Amino acid sequence: MVTLAEVAQHAGVSASTVSYVLSGKRSISAATRQRVERSIRELGYHPNAGARALAGKRSNIVALMVPLRTDMYVPVMMEIAIAVATTARAHGYDVLLLTGEEGPDAVRRVTGSGLADAMILMDVQLEDERLPLLLGTGQPSVLIGLPADTAGLTCVDLDWSATGALCVEHLAGLGHRDIAVIGEAPAVYERHTGFAERTLDGVRSRARETGVRVLHRPCEGGYDALALTLARIFDERPGTTGFVVQNESAVEPLLALLRQQGRAVPEDVSVVAICPDQVAVQASVRLTSVAIPAPEMGRQAVERLVAKLDGRGGDEVVLLTPELTVRASSGPAPAAP
Amino acid sequence: MVTLAEVAQHAGVSASTVSYVLSGKRSISAATRQRVERSIRELGYHPNAGARALAGKRSNIVALMVPLRTDMYVPVMMEIAIAVATTARAHGYDVLLLTGEEGPDAVRRVTGSGLADAMILMDVQLEDERLPLLLGTGQPSVLIGLPADTAGLTCVDLDWSATGALCVEHLAGLGHRDIAVIGEAPAVYERHTGFAERTLDGVRSRARETGVRVLHRPCEGGYDALALTLARIFDERPGTTGFVVQNESAVEPLLALLRQQGRAVPEDVSVVAICPDQVAVQASVRLTSVAIPAPEMGRQAVERLVAKLDGRGGDEVVLLTPELTVRASSGPAPAAP
DNA sequence: TTGAAAGCGCTAACAA
DNA sequence: TTGTTAGCGCTTTCAA
């Protein structure tokens, strides 16, 4: 293993000079710099991470806490994680992967040990048990997702309320008066996951404004569960002509069942999905959808975090504006029978 | 920040005693141990990771390199990653998340800096450019996936060849004589991804043994791509009655199109999927399938890696035995017309 | 523009 | 069973 001292000797300079060449924290003559850089290359030197962290008091690592559960749309999580890792690297940080399993303890451990300089939390609940701790330690952090109380926190999220509203607006604008929302699994609502509840809020308030009726049903996803849910919906509201789907694993079953029941999309019923674009275009009917901008969420989270670590920028809530793309699954409401 | 020295002072012992209480590397009297543990608790002490890594020469971190691409089944990747993180924690290791983006450089960086003690590589290609480096550095590592040459390497993977054989065997046993394999996207084969090619090998050799005919077609996934692929298959082999699908995003389109064409599953055609169980049971027809044991793969990889780091166990290739679960999508071949 | 030297917090000989 | 101490490789004053 090559050390900084060896590089210094090889280049005929002092250790501190090598250190400063590396960090750029003081000016070095061109000649010296080149000699040092050459030695570094020739010896294949890599600074020791542990020594750096110890002396420099920063590990250049950010921790990313991902949920353990997989009852929500997993590819979105993965996309966020990959975007976080990629963006972090671009800023010179590595990413430590923590699962929700350890819960709040992980926050303590990582903070206390100086393993990471900062944390990004995914899948934040409205009342999240990790938050008091995070506020207590004063650890720089960014949440992906919005808790109920954002005081003193930096959060990045899609504006789910606006997303819900946008879906309703689109359908209402097409003349639909009876809309059903097929949501995430019941458990998601039970643990008060912000995005799910906020979407619903947005849906409902815009529904009120536009005078359309809304029926919300959580759904486990898969064919059997959806068949039941759909039956209940048409039973209760036979005049339903618009659907908002916020559950990846319900999208395809919904389209299949509607087809099976002889309800044409978009002639008889319209469907708007909240999902990544890739899902929307790969479905059996190209779906009108509001995209979940997963990579942008990951990127933004890291940018904010780096800003905090650099002493720039403080707490803030970043809400990404939803965008609806009209595709083949939505059209004018059929004339009333 | 609380240091070991402070704990030592608080407990009235020397620093080394505290260190040994923590590491268990020498016997400590019960009385002393309790005093130290009490001080640790009271002061809220957490060992500094950097100092530990520097003095102890191990970071207690393993690096996990995940592919950047997402043209393969993402939830499987995520499940593996989560299993790796969880299992690693159980052994006292943290996980550093590296994306494929940096390529081989990441191997150099992590190795050289002592950031991680070992690496796990996912999505290994048959000829993977990271491997020579890995062998060169002598960094302990485990691959998830099998390269062409496994000399000197430890690998964990599903036995894809046996998986392919198992699928054919099942269909052949039911009397199917003409089988089509709907595979991953062409790009996956073009870059010589081991699992895809090996599955095909297994399929073909068992087909030869059982005397069935096989037609393989890569497929991008999604409805449009699959419709084309399916048309070509029936065009070329009108008598096809058995399908093996190894592409998550082709499963549902296949079922839908078959239905649409009036081909009943499993009465007219049988379908065997290679996918996680969850996908198999959530499909519109409960699928006979060979499960991809993602969590087991992640777990095994970590177990092997830890064994290596502990000086136990050397190179080996761990092939997990595939298991086929019969569900509703496969049945006896229809009588020849 | 450069060098010397004092730590950073911990581990692991070596001693007792 | 416990204590003393010399580093681990780097950053960063302080001095020149």
Side-chain angles (χ1 to χ4, degrees):
Chain A
M1 191 203 153
V2 188
T3 69
L4 181 144
E6 292 172 315
V7 173
Q9 185 167 22
H10 185 271
V13 298
S14 73
S16 60
T17 298
V18 177
S19 177
Y20 284 120
V21 166
L22 252 32
S23 71
K25 286 188 181 170
R26 84 179 177 191
S27 48
I28 305 280
S29 73
T32 307
R33 150 164 293 120
Q34 279 169 11
R35 247 178 327 127
V36 170
E37 281 169 349
R38 187 151 167 275
S39 299
I40 289 177
R41 239 176 299 116
E42 285 183 10
L43 299 179
Y45 168 72
H46 284 274
N48 180 283
R52 255 199 171 163
L54 180 55
K57 310 203 172 308
R58 323 166 107 272
S59 62
N60 285 299
I61 290 177
V62 302
L64 175 68
M65 207 159 158
V66 306
L68 200 56
R69 319 182 196 85
T70 49
D71 61 350
M72 273 175 349
Y73 195 49
V74 178
V76 171
M77 298 288 165
M78 191 74 174
E79 275 193 83
I80 293 178
I82 288 179
V84 164
T86 309
T87 312
R89 278 308 303 147
H91 287 276
Y93 288 91
D94 270 296
V95 173
L96 199 74
L97 183 68
L98 303 176
T99 65
E101 198 198 26
E102 276 184 283
D105 285 353
V107 175
R108 248 184 239 106
R109 193 169 59 84
V110 168
T111 304
S113 66
L115 229 188
D117 299 329
M119 307 196 70
I120 296 178
L121 302 193
M122 293 176 63
D123 191 35
V124 173
Q125 307 299 305
L126 284 175
E127 304 292 341
D128 201 297
E129 52 176 354
R130 298 167 297 187
L131 299 184
L133 251 172
L134 212 55
L135 286 164
T137 64
Q139 175 102 345
S141 61
V142 172
L143 316 187
I144 297 183
L146 234 59
D149 180 7
T150 63
L153 296 169
T154 296
C155 312
V156 172
D157 206 353
L158 176 63
D159 188 336
W160 294 100
S161 170
T163 298
L166 195 54
C167 294
V168 169
E169 200 169 290
H170 176 70
L171 290 171
L174 289 166
H176 298 270
R177 315 318 298 165
D178 253 312
I179 293 178
V181 177
I182 296 178
E184 298 282 356
V188 173
Y189 297 92
E190 274 154 27
R191 62 171 186 264
H192 297 294
T193 303
F195 84 90
E197 301 203 349
R198 285 201 173 82
T199 305
L200 224 46
D201 290 346
V203 162
R204 290 192 174 127
S205 75
R206 188 57 50 92
R208 227 172 293 121
E209 291 166 27
T210 54
V212 312
R213 293 209 301 169
V214 165
L215 187 65
H216 167 249
R217 289 289 172 262
C219 181
E220 289 288 352
Y223 277 79
D224 299 347
L226 189 84
L228 247 65
T229 304
L230 196 59
R232 285 181 57 201
I233 289 172
F234 279 126
D235 201 39
E236 203 166 329
R237 297 272 172 88
T240 300
T241 61
F243 284 90
V244 175
V245 192
Q246 181 172 216
N247 182 334
E248 207 293 289
S249 55
V251 165
E252 207 46 62
L254 175 63
L255 295 173
L257 283 166
L258 289 173
R259 216 176 292 134
Q260 217 168 292
Q261 299 177 357
R263 303 181 201 257
V265 173
E267 291 79 3
D268 300 327
V269 298
S270 288
V271 175
V272 178
I274 300 169
C275 66
D277 275 332
Q278 209 213 352
V279 172
V281 303
Q282 279 213 350
S284 53
V285 178
R286 289 170 50 85
L287 293 169
T288 294
S289 71
V290 176
I292 300 176
E296 179 64 9
M297 290 163 77
R299 202 184 61 71
Q300 284 276 354
V302 174
E303 302 285 2
R304 306 292 152 176
L305 198 56
V306 170
K308 279 187 159 185
L309 286 169
D310 290 353
R312 299 177 284 123
D315 304 332
E316 62 188 315
V317 172
V318 180
L319 288 186
L320 304 177
T321 305
E323 288 180 27
L324 185 141
T325 305
V326 178
R327 298 199 184 83
S329 69
S330 63
Chain B
M1 190 204 155
V2 186
T3 69
L4 181 145
E6 292 173 317
V7 173
Q9 186 168 24
H10 186 270
V13 299
S14 73
S16 60
T17 298
V18 177
S19 177
Y20 285 119
V21 166
L22 251 30
S23 70
K25 286 188 183 171
R26 79 179 181 192
S27 47
I28 304 280
S29 74
T32 308
R33 148 162 294 119
Q34 280 170 11
R35 247 177 328 126
V36 171
E37 280 168 350
R38 186 151 169 274
S39 297
I40 288 177
R41 241 177 298 116
E42 284 184 10
L43 300 179
Y45 168 72
H46 285 273
N48 180 284
R52 252 197 174 164
L54 181 55
K57 307 197 171 315
R58 320 167 109 272
S59 63
N60 285 298
I61 290 179
V62 300
L64 174 69
M65 207 158 158
V66 305
L68 200 55
R69 326 184 189 83
T70 48
D71 61 350
M72 275 177 345
Y73 195 48
V74 178
V76 172
M77 298 288 164
M78 190 76 174
E79 274 192 85
I80 294 178
I82 288 179
V84 165
T86 309
T87 312
R89 278 308 304 146
H91 288 275
Y93 288 90
D94 270 295
V95 172
L96 199 73
L97 183 68
L98 303 176
T99 64
E101 198 198 26
E102 275 184 281
D105 286 353
V107 175
R108 248 184 239 108
R109 191 169 59 83
V110 167
T111 303
S113 66
L115 229 187
D117 299 330
M119 308 196 69
I120 296 177
L121 303 193
M122 292 175 64
D123 191 34
V124 174
Q125 308 299 304
L126 283 175
E127 304 292 339
D128 201 296
E129 52 176 353
R130 298 167 296 186
L131 300 185
L133 252 171
L134 213 56
L135 285 165
T137 63
Q139 174 101 346
S141 62
V142 172
L143 316 186
I144 297 182
L146 234 58
D149 180 7
T150 62
L153 296 169
T154 297
C155 312
V156 173
D157 205 352
L158 177 61
D159 188 337
W160 294 101
S161 171
T163 299
L166 196 54
C167 293
V168 170
E169 198 169 292
H170 176 69
L171 291 171
L174 289 167
H176 297 270
R177 314 317 299 166
D178 253 313
I179 293 177
V181 178
I182 297 177
E184 298 282 354
V188 173
Y189 297 91
E190 275 154 27
R191 65 171 183 265
H192 297 293
T193 303
F195 82 90
E197 302 203 348
R198 286 204 172 81
T199 306
L200 224 45
D201 289 346
V203 163
R204 290 193 174 127
S205 75
R206 190 54 52 92
R208 227 172 293 123
E209 292 166 25
T210 53
V212 312
R213 293 209 302 167
V214 164
L215 187 65
H216 167 249
R217 290 289 172 260
C219 181
E220 290 288 353
Y223 277 81
D224 301 347
L226 189 83
L228 247 64
T229 304
L230 196 59
R232 284 181 59 201
I233 290 173
F234 278 127
D235 202 36
E236 204 166 329
R237 298 271 172 87
T240 301
T241 60
F243 284 89
V244 175
V245 192
Q246 181 173 215
N247 181 336
E248 206 293 291
S249 55
V251 164
E252 207 46 63
L254 175 63
L255 295 173
L257 283 165
L258 289 173
R259 216 176 290 134
Q260 216 170 293
Q261 300 177 355
R263 302 180 201 259
V265 173
E267 291 78 3
D268 300 326
V269 298
S270 287
V271 176
V272 178
I274 301 170
C275 65
D277 275 333
Q278 209 213 352
V279 172
V281 303
Q282 281 212 350
S284 53
V285 178
R286 289 170 51 87
L287 294 169
T288 293
S289 71
V290 175
I292 299 176
E296 179 64 9
M297 290 163 76
R299 202 183 60 72
Q300 283 276 356
V302 174
E303 303 285 2
R304 305 293 151 176
L305 199 56
V306 170
K308 279 187 159 187
L309 287 168
D310 291 352
R312 298 177 285 119
D315 304 332
E316 61 187 316
V317 172
V318 180
L319 288 186
L320 305 178
T321 304
E323 287 180 28
L324 185 143
T325 306
V326 178
R327 298 201 184 82
S329 68
S330 64

